[in-house]
Amino acid sequence: MKADTYKLKDFSSFTKDIINVSGEKINNCYQCRKCTAGCPITFAMDILPHQIIKYIQLGFEEKVLTSKTIWLCAACETCGTRCPNEIDLAAMMDALRQRALATQYRNRIGEKGTSVFHQEFLSSVKSNGRVYEAMMMAKSRMRSGHFLTYLLRGDWIADIKLFIPMLLKGKMGMLPHRIRNRKEIKKLFKKFAIGRKV
Amino acid sequence: MNTKVSYYPGCSLRGTGREYGESAEAVFKSLGTELVELPDWSCCGASSAHSENKGLAVEIAARNLILAKESGLKDMVIPCSACFQRTKVAEYELKENPQAYPDISYNSEVNIPDIVSFVHNKIGIEAIKKNVIKKLTGLKVVSYYGCLISRHPKITGAGNFENPTEMDTILEALGTEVIDWGYKTDCCGGSLAISQAEIMQKLVGNLYDKALEAGAECIAVCCPLCHANLDMYQKEISKRFKKNYNTPIFYFTELIGLAIGEKDIIKWLKRHLTDPIKLLKEKNLL
Ligand code: SF4
Ligand code: SF4
């Protein structure tokens, strides 16, 4: 079903944008909370999935786009699979993340670590055509919070303790795997203007 | 009979999930299916591309679909559940909204079943049974399917997505004692393991508890991200919850390999961070 079957004129530009980009019939939600009941991440979320939907309907842009929830959603698709109104909340979360990055809310990301992880992941793919797990993991771990905390809390020791056996067991290469046609990948990133700084 | 199918390994199977790639390639070959790697395949975009840009997520995965189409082979196998699901999402989007992707000409030319269904339906339980030379008798195992091999069913085409049974049937054919449990399709946290380790630890700790309560000695998986989260952090998770988890996590392809007598089995098992060899020796299976 297409989002344009809605009468969107009564909604804020925020609500319309999320409905259009996600393609989900967000206004059909009748707050049964089945999504929230099955969501594995609720214990860590600041706004529950069914509440996110309600806030979108009501146009509470700032509240939603600065929430932790939109970054903590693991895209496990449990909610979308079970929603009686066939709303795919994971697609909706994607649209929210994309709008958060594209608006002034990019400076107020609710969960910076996960956002940084995605950025490092994509920057690795952009340069190699494949992800270089070792470098991507190291860089996103270092950048996910305050670097000083990372050093002082000893997080780096835990990371090294994990990386060494991975290296020894051949799970981590010393060099990235690169594809031949990296030009094609760079073109795609350029086309969609991905290369943000957080 | 030797069938050829396209094969998309994905980045994990060349890194953290190396033994999944190695075991899948070997087992498929022994069971009569040749995996032909897509030439110059690229990353599927994983959980990151769709978080940042829908167009990028679809078109980067579509590059591999086009390569598969050009290979001329009818089927493609993608062992990693995350790569599988992202590729299926691209297939679905290109079918439902082709007007949004004018640069891409792909019309579901390649058939992409999930790897567990492929082994279950195309290779077949009978063929597996015929090749078993060492029954894995007495090994108590739960199958853990995770999220993305079956969800969203409109994308994956999965039938029994709340209670899948195909991996259970495969493991039974190997002679293992498969234990039923209610956490087959619960989430392991996926890529949150890197940015939000504590969330992943809580989810995975719960999976260990439920598997052990059900009476399992080990867990079988079909995804390199599930494997990484369940296998690599057991020490850390034990420390955090003051438990002593020591539960081997097997790729289902490794267990097939063990039963049909693949010679590289030890090499694969040695790559695990939670030792699976001790349990197998205790059970006289190695
Ligand atoms: S399951 Fe669907 S209808 Fe029910 S609250 Fe969630 S989004 Fe709304
Ligand atoms: S897709 Fe996101 S919101 Fe939905 S159940 Fe999974 S983690 Fe929760």
Side-chain angles (χ1 to χ4, degrees):
Chain A
M1 282 291 214
K2 289 278 144 41
D4 57 16
T5 55
Y6 279 93
K7 286 199 185 108
L8 291 178
K9 64 178 175 17
D10 298 335
F11 295 107
S12 73
S13 65
F14 164 60
T15 313
K16 281 184 218 170
D17 179 57
I18 299 305
I19 291 174
N20 283 331
V21 172
S22 69
E24 295 304 318
K25 300 165 81 180
I26 286 165
N27 204 37
N28 280 10
C29 167
Y30 48 41
Q31 292 289 302
C32 72
R33 307 187 187 191
K34 211 171 167 185
C35 47
T36 296
C39 172
I41 315 286
T42 48
F43 68 91
M45 289 175 167
D46 50 355
I47 304 178
L48 298 169
H50 75 279
Q51 295 172 326
I52 292 271
I53 288 237
K54 193 76 205 170
Y55 282 132
I56 299 173
Q57 291 173 347
L58 297 173
F60 281 52
E61 178 169 17
E62 180 179 358
K63 190 154 182 100
V64 175
L65 295 190
T66 57
S67 72
K68 288 185 197 302
T69 296
I70 61 173
W71 296 98
L72 292 182
C73 163
C76 75
E77 293 278 6
T78 309
C79 52
T81 299
R82 295 177 182 169
C83 171
N85 290 312
E86 295 178 13
I87 301 168
D88 185 348
L89 286 89
M92 173 193 89
M93 297 288 186
D94 283 346
L96 293 169
R97 288 184 260 227
Q98 288 165 25
R99 186 170 168 104
L101 293 173
T103 56
Q104 79 263 32
Y105 299 108
R106 84 174 69 84
N107 299 318
R108 295 171 58 198
I109 299 285
E111 211 296 285
K112 193 172 156 240
T114 308
S115 163
V116 164
F117 164 80
H118 293 312
Q119 190 191 16
E120 288 299 339
F121 189 100
L122 290 178
S123 98
S124 183
V125 175
K126 189 179 170 188
S127 36
N128 302 310
R130 293 182 190 167
V131 67
Y132 181 33
E133 288 171 318
M135 187 58 80
M136 177 275 293
M137 279 167 78
K139 275 167 97 180
S140 47
R141 291 278 294 152
M142 279 179 221
R143 286 190 53 213
S144 66
H146 289 284
F147 188 59
L148 206 61
T149 326
Y150 178 80
L151 286 181
L152 294 179
R153 233 179 38 180
D155 292 356
W156 59 278
I157 302 177
D159 284 356
I160 288 174
K161 271 196 193 152
L162 182 67
F163 280 17
I164 289 176
M166 285 175 74
L167 206 65
L168 293 176
K169 286 171 181 289
K171 282 177 175 275
M172 235 171 217
M174 298 297 271
L175 289 170
H177 291 271
R178 311 177 89 184
I179 70 164
R180 262 176 284 121
N181 201 343
R182 296 191 292 280
K183 252 202 208 132
E184 210 180 322
I185 301 292
K186 292 220 165 73
K187 244 204 255 160
L188 274 182
F189 275 82
K190 210 166 155 198
K191 176 171 170 189
F192 296 105
I194 297 278
R196 74 184 165 99
K197 287 268 171 283
V198 171
Chain B
M1 190 187 66
N2 204 359
T3 334
K4 279 188 182 184
V5 299
S6 283
Y7 170 47
Y8 176 85
C11 306
S12 285
L13 269 62
R14 293 288 182 260
T16 46
R18 202 167 148 188
E19 64 273 28
Y20 190 19
E22 291 166 341
S23 58
E25 288 156 29
V27 162
F28 270 63
K29 194 167 169 212
S30 299
L31 296 175
T33 299
E34 190 184 333
L35 295 174
V36 184
E37 186 168 332
L38 285 188
D40 211 37
W41 56 268
S42 43
C43 172
C44 70
S47 55
S48 297
H50 70 80
S51 294
E52 300 246 344
N53 189 294
K54 187 172 174 180
L56 177 72
V58 171
E59 295 204 11
I60 201 166
R63 181 177 179 271
N64 298 313
L65 286 173
I66 306 272
L67 292 175
K69 172 175 139 180
E70 287 167 359
S71 79
L73 296 170
K74 210 169 98 252
D75 300 303
M76 173 154 71
V77 169
I78 307 179
C80 169
S81 297
C83 301
F84 164 74
Q85 197 245 20
R86 290 322 306 170
T87 309
K88 293 296 270 188
V89 168
E91 176 192 79
Y92 179 84
E93 279 292 323
L94 293 168
K95 193 163 126 207
E96 297 292 312
N97 302 307
Q99 71 292 346
Y101 308 97
D103 299 345
I104 294 178
S105 107
Y106 181 79
N107 194 10
S108 308
E109 281 91 348
V110 186
N111 179 33
I112 310 171
D114 70 77
I115 183 169
V116 175
S117 313
F118 189 93
V119 172
H120 184 276
N121 303 335
K122 297 261 168 111
I123 290 178
I125 298 299
E126 285 316 308
I128 295 174
K129 276 190 182 155
K130 243 196 278 165
N131 281 276
V132 169
I133 55 168
K134 178 170 46 188
K135 284 208 149 215
L136 307 184
T137 314
L139 190 66
K140 298 194 182 77
V141 58
V142 285
S143 327
Y144 175 60
Y145 298 75
C147 306
L148 299 180
I149 194 167
S150 53
R151 284 194 298 264
H152 191 296
K154 75 175 179 202
I155 281 163
T156 61
N160 210 352
F161 48 87
E162 294 284 7
N163 183 22
T165 54
E166 290 178 332
M167 199 197 311
D168 299 62
T169 313
I170 295 168
L171 298 176
E172 262 159 24
L174 306 176
T176 65
E177 186 181 325
V178 180
I179 296 176
D180 193 23
W181 67 322
Y183 295 79
K184 288 178 176 178
T185 63
D186 274 43
C187 180
C188 73
S191 62
L192 288 177
I194 314 235
S195 56
Q196 283 285 342
E198 291 183 3
I199 294 181
M200 174 277 288
Q201 290 168 357
K202 190 165 158 127
L203 297 175
V204 172
N206 188 46
L207 291 173
Y208 297 149
D209 287 342
K210 301 302 175 192
L212 296 171
E213 271 168 32
E217 301 160 318
C218 59
I219 303 176
V221 301
C222 55
C223 168
L225 304 183
C226 298
H227 192 273
N229 287 358
L230 270 69
D231 172 66
M232 286 184 356
Y233 307 100
Q234 277 198 34
K235 271 197 198 132
E236 258 178 275
I237 299 174
S238 295
K239 215 158 101 192
R240 174 161 168 213
F241 295 114
K242 302 193 173 53
K243 298 264 177 84
N244 196 7
Y245 298 120
N246 196 3
T247 306
I249 313 297
F250 292 102
Y251 287 106
F252 81 111
T253 45
E254 290 176 326
L255 290 176
I256 301 176
L258 177 64
I260 67 174
E262 290 294 343
K263 61 179 189 339
D264 285 338
I265 181 81
I266 297 279
K267 191 175 94 186
W268 308 330
L269 298 179
K270 277 198 166 155
R271 298 198 194 283
H272 294 204
L273 268 70
T274 303
D275 176 30
I277 294 176
K278 196 169 149 251
L279 173 70
L280 294 179
K281 286 210 164 130
E282 277 169 19
K283 299 259 155 189
N284 263 326
L285 296 173
L286 209 64

